[in-house]
Amino acid sequence: MPVAASAIYFLNLRGDVLINRLYRDDVGGNMVDAFRMHIMQTKELGTCPVRQIGGCSFFYMRISNVYLVIVVSSNANVACAFKFVVEAVALFKSYFGGQFDEDSIRNNFVLIYELLDEIMDFGYPQNLSPEILKLYITQEGVRSPFSSKPTDKPVPNATLQVTGAVGWRREGLVYKKNEVFLDIVESVNLLMSSKGSVLRCDVTGKILMKCFLSGMPDLKLGLNDKVGLEKESQLKSRPAKSGKTIELDDVTFHQCVNLTRFNSEKTVSFVPPDGEFELMKYRITEGVNLPFRVLPTIKELGRTRMEVNVKVKSVFGAKMFALGVVVKVPVPKQTAKTSFQVTSGRAKYNAALNCIVWKIRKFPGQTESTMSAEVELISTMAEKKSSTKPPIQMEFQVPMFTASGLRVRFLKVWEKSGYNTVEWVRYITKAGSYEIRC
Amino acid sequence: MAPPPQFQRSSSPSQPSGKSEISDLKLQLRQLAGSRAPGADDAKRELFKKVISHMTVGVDVSSLFSEMVMCSATSDIVLKKMCYLYVGNYAKGNPDLALLTINFLQRDCRDEDPMIRGLALRSLCSLRVTNLVEYLVGPLGSGLKDPNAYVRTVAAMGVLKLYHISASACVDADFPSMLKRLMLNDPDSQVVANCLSSLQEIWSAEANTSEEAAREREALLSKPLVYHLLNRIKEFNEWAQCLILDLISNYIPSDNDEIFDIMNLLEDRLQHANGAVVLGTIKVFLHLTLSMADVHQQVYERIKAPLLTLMSSGSPEQSYAVLSHLHLLVMRAPVLFSSDYKHFYCQYSEPSYVKKLKLEMLTAIANESNTYEIVTELCEYAANVDVSIAREAIRAVGKIALQQYDVNAIVDRLLQFLEMEKDYVTAETLVLVKDLLRKYPQWSHDCIAVVGNISSKNVQEPKAKSALIWMLGEYSQDMPEAPYILENLIDNWDDEHSSEVRLHLLTAVMKCFFKRPPETQNALGAALAAGLADFRQDVHDRALFYYRLLQYDESTAERVVNPPKQAVSVFADTQSSELKDRIFDEFNSLSVIYQKPSYMFTGKEHRGLTDISEELGNLSVEAQPAAEALPAQIYEANDVDLLLSTSEKEEVRGPVNNSSAYRAPDYDSTTAALVSSQVPLEADLSIPGLPAYNPQVSSAIDDLLGLGLSVAPTPAPPPLALNPKAALDPGSFQRKWSQLAISSSQEFCIEPRAVVALATPQTLLRHMQGHHIQCIASGGQPPSFKFFFYAQRAGQPPSFFLVECLVNSSSARVQVKIKADDGAAAGDFSALFQAALSKFGE
């Protein structure tokens, strides 16, 4: 039985209830207390997101300073429940203008109750699509059309939409200027051993779209991925163009994408929802271009001193540059004093994180930058050298660069009125978990 | 909107300030109740908000019920919604007052605005007051026929709510069949989905009492309906798709073509952005292809990439859920991910629950080709800041070492751990080295050299200390210092609080004594004296036993304590395969996370089966140590030394050890078990005074199971071929049943695992179908079930066999009555039937 939830609670970090919504009677009312007693007030918190207490299972997630707790008594579908929470939070965020925290919940609790009523009925998830819900649940509260303006009837229309087949787009949209924005956002994950060999490296990317298009447009997206190109050259019976092709390990699509057509023709075609959405996600493990090389050398000079040298090289195109580069170099807990020299940016010792944080605002391509630091340690009674060394972690953003090399080849828009559209494409690569052991 | 006032944070139901606040609210609500002044709605909104926020934090505001109802006459939707919410929350506690709301809710159910109709209907069904059911039936009936789809979706769910309030009212009003019609004909997908979820729940609950309902439930899995839903699956939203996929995973296709058709149709669902849809699809694929080994293997290959994507995208909680599923799959097909091991390398910032599962994955997929890399990676984690992960990593290395043939490199790594000089690393490693030596005694030289250098002062954890002491005793001839270390430990006997360690100390010093008598004699004397004075019964008894044994005959004592040992070849698996299969059946649910079948944790739903399933539940999990102990005792009989295998299992066994330490195989039980006369065992040496060995280990198992039954032997199936596609309609079955005489009647017992599997009687039907025995009707409520089966003999003349089968799951007894067209073949068929049944649950 894919019941996703018997009850949902929103708690703040102290355990105060912000929202509670009971969907089914099979869990008692004192479930919050059980959660507080057995999870929040113990060391358990955060050790496992699924826990069973007295016949009921608790799934919980922390999002900013709020705990979202789902309680069920049956053998629920866990993946569905977590996905539901994630989607629900996305929905709330889109209502609250991107915010989801204790304050925004307190300020909007009536709205949240309204939404909770619509998105789940008796424990079964219903419609969670913000585009549709926004038609009939508005922050102002829709006055019933019959009380004030009998001619204006948006509501019956909306209810049709709630359940329609093309659930993600309503008809009759009109824009003066038809525009599409396409963002390819990649996060590159790296795990490098202390010897400099790549242990693990992959890219998870997503294509975000923002559509301001009139009517019911049909879109087709072409990428330089291997399968798609091969299929295309097969169909047009001409050899594939030379040039880089990308092998996607796995792709998932927004529900608007016609998957049957993707499987047969390998093209991504869809009728987009209005506004912003995530068109597709992909994963690549082969042929990843790492934007940065990090070369650390750590020398221990006696028991109370060490020398840390970190060289960072940018290996993307010289015309590009990375923004917001942060390198976190861990140092031992008993660090007493640090002094640095950097060729660019600024470094600081952060005692709370036990690391040296080196920030470079703008990092041009094909350059390198070094930091050398001297660390003085408090000599401790414990003779044992600390053998636990966290990895060096790195954050960055490189606009106009994709670590996978993925490119948009075309984006075609068809609409029966035949209007012209303006398409904007952006690329950006961010650091996912970029770790270098030392 | 203004933030709710600050006082709520501190106010609690008992505080007087809260009370005066409520009476204040009451007054204000009353003033506004009849007001039609402009702005009255806004004022009401503010008041309602206050009430709701009180309600949320747990302040009892039910005393405002009548005022709230009075204020509910409004056209403002937001006000209405708040009022509905309030009413829904308190109606159950105030059934009399709830009556007040019926009027306005019913009126709203007839509103022109479908939104309001839907909302009112939903609230009406959420009142949960039994004596108001009569007011529900009418609006629900018209709701199901409403021209607006929104209202119909609400009504479809409303029927289920009504069913939970009063099942009879729901069935009497014929709502289930209305839902069925709606499900088949409604153009709106959400209505269909809600009908389906309601019907599934209603028929499943009804099926226990009514045969018709059981048939209806089966009909939900009928080919036309399944195809109807499958063909439309893309019209449904993601959540409804999960629902349908779950339904289809139980569907039994008639032939292979059908299986491929379904898989082709659903393949693109693996690309869906919603992980729940992907997992649902995977479940369908896996279950459909269970009978086709090659295709099943291909399915594994196909689902690999989507699963890895799911794992690496989304929140850590979602990864956790996916990883649990991956772990289940990898246990079934270990080769599956062996080349993708790098995906399971931990990231530094991941939460520990994800890391833990990744470590388990790495352990499970290690094989000849990737062991080196995996172990290297695990060694990195041993230096992890998170101590629990470091421990897990070391255990993982040990587990891999126990799985592999080429342990050379791993042993070196383990020994390096000992040089790290971190207490917890040393402790974990010692336990592993001990296990390793039991399996690979040939490594003793390398290990002993390193272990001998460890100061026992640095080892504090009982388990690790026991391991160290065991090695000291076992290899005392190779460790020059052994007698002196033991002596030192015995001198500090009183500082040692764990009985486990004391027991090990006694045994080790005995072993050492026989190998190096002059050096150990003093220590042995001291140990026996200390042991005899010990207030712990088991320590005392073991000391006494050794003492008497030595008194009786030294050479016998040596044979008892230092017998020739065989290396342990395989350490027992922690989970039985039948449990694993049950969990696999419940793919994509909590079972996978808990690693238990659902009947073990959803107690309420299986109340009827409580007795038996709890008993069995204990058996299979909690009492597992006991079950494991039995084979262990067979080992003892062969004088194979018995320390416990992996530390994980030691934890499981913990409670058993405490309650009856005699039987615990955890100790150096060559001797411990001999002391205990409760579990008789055979020893090669005949020691006078010890009870005779009872060779019937199997009956001991039965007794442990607590069933006290002897299990029916499995007769070999006689050469009677059945028609795999036998068909008989219920009418002719009934006619035949009344005409024919009983040709065979039998009563026998079934295996406990069959009883476990019977928790879902449908599995029995499917199982019997596999043996070409069809079910025509079934019913009953736990613990007694009734099934009617039929089968047809292959070839000419086509004679039928009819079976009435009564199963009592609490006594594990089965009564079978067989009627046959050809009475002569009834005997053969009966044997065949029994053979088929005995395989059930395997």
Side-chain angles (χ1 to χ4, degrees), chain B residues 120-133:
Chain B
L121 189 59
R122 189 187 291 147
S123 310
L124 196 60
C125 296
S126 306
L127 290 180
R128 294 167 294 176
V129 180
T130 321
N131 50 11
L132 298 183
V133 160

Side-chain angles (χ1 to χ4, degrees), chain B residues 634-746:
Chain B
I634 303 170
Y635 271 118
E636 281 160 22
N638 296 331
D639 267 342
V640 171
D641 197 355
L642 231 230
L643 251 99
L644 229 252
S645 53
T646 52
S647 42
E648 180 190 334
K649 252 173 282 166
E650 280 172 1
E651 280 157 22
V652 182
R653 287 178 192 205
V656 180
N657 294 345
N658 294 338
S659 57
S660 68
Y662 283 135
R663 240 186 287 180
D666 202 350
Y667 309 131
D668 206 358
S669 16
T670 17
T671 48
L674 284 175
V675 181
S676 107
S677 53
Q678 293 172 351
V679 181
L681 31 107
E682 187 178 51
D684 289 342
L685 33 127
S686 56
I687 297 168
L690 281 178
Y693 173 64
N694 172 9
Q696 271 185 310
V697 180
S698 66
S699 73
I701 295 180
D702 290 339
D703 281 340
L704 267 177
L705 297 182
L707 294 173
L709 299 166
S710 61
V711 176
T714 310
L720 173 74
L722 295 178
N723 180 0
K725 294 214 168 109
L728 192 66
D729 63 82
S732 20
F733 183 94
Q734 213 148 19
R735 210 168 44 248
K736 273 182 190 293
W737 187 260
S738 54
Q739 283 165 358
L740 294 167
I742 295 176
S743 29
S744 160
S745 171
Q746 272 183 324

Side-chain angles (χ1 to χ4, degrees), chain A residues 285-301:
Chain A
T285 47
E286 297 298 321
V288 177
N289 308 312
L290 294 172
F292 286 101
R293 288 274 148 77
V294 182
L295 307 160
T297 40
I298 295 176
K299 269 188 238 155
E300 285 183 34
L301 311 165

Side-chain angles (χ1 to χ4, degrees), chain A residues 95-233:
Chain A
Y95 265 97
F96 310 156
Q99 284 280 314
F100 184 80
D101 52 25
E102 187 177 345
D103 286 338
S104 60
I105 292 172
R106 284 191 190 274
N107 291 339
N108 295 291
F109 72 100
V110 174
L111 178 66
I112 293 179
Y113 275 123
E114 275 186 57
L115 288 171
L116 284 177
D117 226 26
E118 292 297 328
I119 60 179
M120 183 170 267
D121 202 356
F122 211 55
Y124 293 96
Q126 306 283 309
N127 199 328
L128 268 83
S129 140
E131 292 84 27
I132 303 304
L133 285 167
K134 275 182 177 166
L135 291 177
Y136 64 103
I137 296 185
T138 56
Q139 213 141 7
E140 295 78 39
V142 180
R143 300 286 171 133
S144 184
F146 305 102
S147 60
S148 47
K149 287 178 270 175
T151 45
D152 181 26
K153 289 188 185 177
V155 175
N157 217 343
T159 53
L160 268 182
Q161 281 296 327
V162 182
T163 52
V166 183
W168 56 84
R169 189 178 180 93
R170 70 195 148 99
E171 286 180 48
L173 288 166
V174 180
Y175 286 97
K176 222 180 248 170
K177 195 174 170 192
N178 290 295
E179 282 182 303
V180 189
F181 297 86
L182 203 66
D183 277 330
I184 298 195
V185 183
E186 295 197 335
S187 44
V188 47
N189 301 309
L190 169 75
L191 183 60
M192 195 176 262
S193 77
S194 49
K195 295 186 186 79
S197 59
V198 175
L199 292 175
R200 197 194 139 181
C201 167
D202 58 61
V203 168
T204 53
K206 51 189 172 186
I207 301 186
L208 303 174
M209 271 193 115
K210 219 187 272 181
C211 286
F212 303 110
L213 296 172
S214 316
M216 278 296 208
D218 221 327
L219 273 69
K220 198 168 156 188
L221 175 71
L223 301 167
N224 62 338
D225 68 303
K226 200 175 166 195
V227 192
L229 284 175
E230 272 170 12
K231 190 77 190 179
E232 189 173 306
S233 59

Side-chain angles (χ1 to χ4, degrees), chain A residues 44-95:
Chain A
E44 290 274 336
L45 192 66
T47 55
C48 183
V50 181
R51 258 297 305 274
Q52 191 184 18
I53 305 165
C56 288
S57 297
F58 289 74
F59 312 150
Y60 65 96
M61 248 177 165
R62 182 178 162 171
I63 288 155
S64 77
N65 55 359
V66 180
Y67 281 105
L68 272 84
V69 186
I70 277 189
V71 190
V72 289
S73 72
S74 58
N75 188 16
N77 182 335
V78 191
C80 189
F82 278 131
K83 181 71 184 173
F84 176 79
V85 174
V86 171
E87 291 284 304
V89 170
L91 173 70
F92 297 141
K93 277 186 178 163
S94 84
Y95 265 97

Side-chain angles (χ1 to χ4, degrees), chain B residues 182-483:
Chain B
L182 210 54
M183 177 172 69
L184 294 175
N185 301 319
D186 204 282
D188 187 276
S189 59
Q190 192 61 45
V191 177
V192 176
N194 283 4
C195 287
L196 178 62
S197 27
S198 295
L199 280 177
Q200 266 185 313
E201 258 193 65
I202 293 175
W203 291 138
S204 306
E206 282 287 294
N208 289 333
T209 49
S210 136
E211 286 190 15
E212 194 202 330
R215 262 201 303 283
E216 288 287 355
R217 187 175 58 170
E218 285 297 295
L220 284 179
L221 281 172
S222 67
K223 192 167 171 175
L225 178 62
V226 165
Y227 276 50
H228 175 69
L229 294 171
L230 269 176
N231 288 328
R232 291 182 64 185
I233 195 160
K234 284 167 195 146
E235 295 168 23
F236 290 88
N237 73 24
E238 44 197 327
W239 315 104
Q241 287 184 14
C242 295
L243 185 77
I244 294 170
L245 289 168
D246 195 64
L247 177 83
I248 293 169
S249 69
N250 293 320
Y251 173 67
I252 308 160
S254 55
D255 55 28
N256 289 358
D257 290 346
E258 221 185 323
I259 294 177
F260 289 120
D261 282 349
I262 295 178
M263 296 213 305
N264 283 332
L265 195 69
L266 290 179
E267 189 174 4
D268 57 21
R269 295 297 105 190
L270 291 174
Q271 242 102 43
H272 201 283
N274 187 326
V277 174
V278 178
L279 273 181
T281 313
I282 288 173
K283 181 179 184 181
V284 173
F285 277 32
L286 288 174
H287 281 195
L288 283 181
T289 56
L290 264 184
S291 56
M292 304 188 280
D294 321 348
V295 188
H296 199 61
Q297 210 52 43
Q298 286 169 14
V299 166
Y300 278 130
E301 288 298 326
R302 177 67 187 86
I303 61 180
K304 207 163 81 170
L307 277 170
L308 289 175
T309 308
L310 273 185
M311 179 189 80
S312 55
S313 60
S315 63
E317 289 84 359
Q318 288 169 290
S319 309
Y320 174 76
V322 175
L323 269 167
S324 305
H325 284 86
L326 277 170
H327 189 247
L328 176 74
L329 292 180
V330 93
M331 293 317 237
R332 296 175 68 88
V335 232
L336 186 57
F337 292 100
S338 57
S339 55
D340 301 283
Y341 59 92
K342 284 187 178 171
H343 285 279
F344 303 106
Y345 284 3
C346 299
Q347 285 162 17
Y348 183 69
S349 47
E350 276 171 336
S352 58
Y353 51 84
V354 171
K355 283 184 184 164
K356 233 174 232 173
L357 279 174
K358 283 190 168 175
L359 289 182
E360 283 180 28
M361 285 299 288
L362 285 173
T363 317
I365 60 183
N367 63 14
E368 277 87 353
S369 63
N370 57 21
T371 299
Y372 182 79
E373 282 81 9
I374 290 182
V375 172
T376 309
E377 182 66 14
L378 287 171
C379 291
E380 289 281 342
Y381 306 145
N384 200 299
V385 185
D386 185 344
V387 175
S388 71
I389 291 301
R391 283 174 180 272
E392 292 282 344
I394 297 167
R395 279 179 216 160
V397 173
K399 275 187 206 160
I400 293 174
L402 290 177
Q403 285 166 11
Q404 301 294 319
Y405 298 102
D406 174 33
V407 284
N408 198 348
I410 303 180
V411 172
D412 283 349
R413 300 276 176 68
L414 279 177
L415 297 179
Q416 275 169 20
F417 285 155
L418 291 177
E419 285 159 9
M420 274 171 67
E421 295 186 2
K422 284 200 168 249
D423 290 350
Y424 59 88
V425 175
T426 310
E428 289 294 338
T429 312
L430 277 176
V431 175
L432 287 175
V433 170
K434 178 249 319 174
D435 283 340
L436 215 58
L437 285 180
R438 294 175 55 214
K439 188 166 178 184
Y440 311 104
Q442 65 269 32
W443 293 107
S444 61
H445 268 286
D446 304 68
C447 295
I448 292 312
V450 181
V451 170
N453 291 332
I454 295 171
S455 160
S456 60
K457 288 194 190 74
N458 292 342
V459 182
Q460 287 308 323
E461 288 170 42
K463 253 175 233 161
K465 212 164 185 172
S466 307
L468 179 64
I469 292 171
W470 180 84
M471 286 186 272
L472 286 170
E474 193 63 36
Y475 297 98
S476 44
Q477 72 277 19
D478 304 326
M479 296 162 92
E481 296 291 312

Side-chain angles (χ1 to χ4, degrees), chain B residues 714-722 771 793 801 824-836 839:
Chain B
T714 310
L720 173 74
L722 295 178
H771 292 268
R793 185 166 62 190
F801 302 98
D828 281 353
F829 176 75
S830 158
L832 193 119
F833 184 83
Q834 205 175 327
K839 289 201 188 90

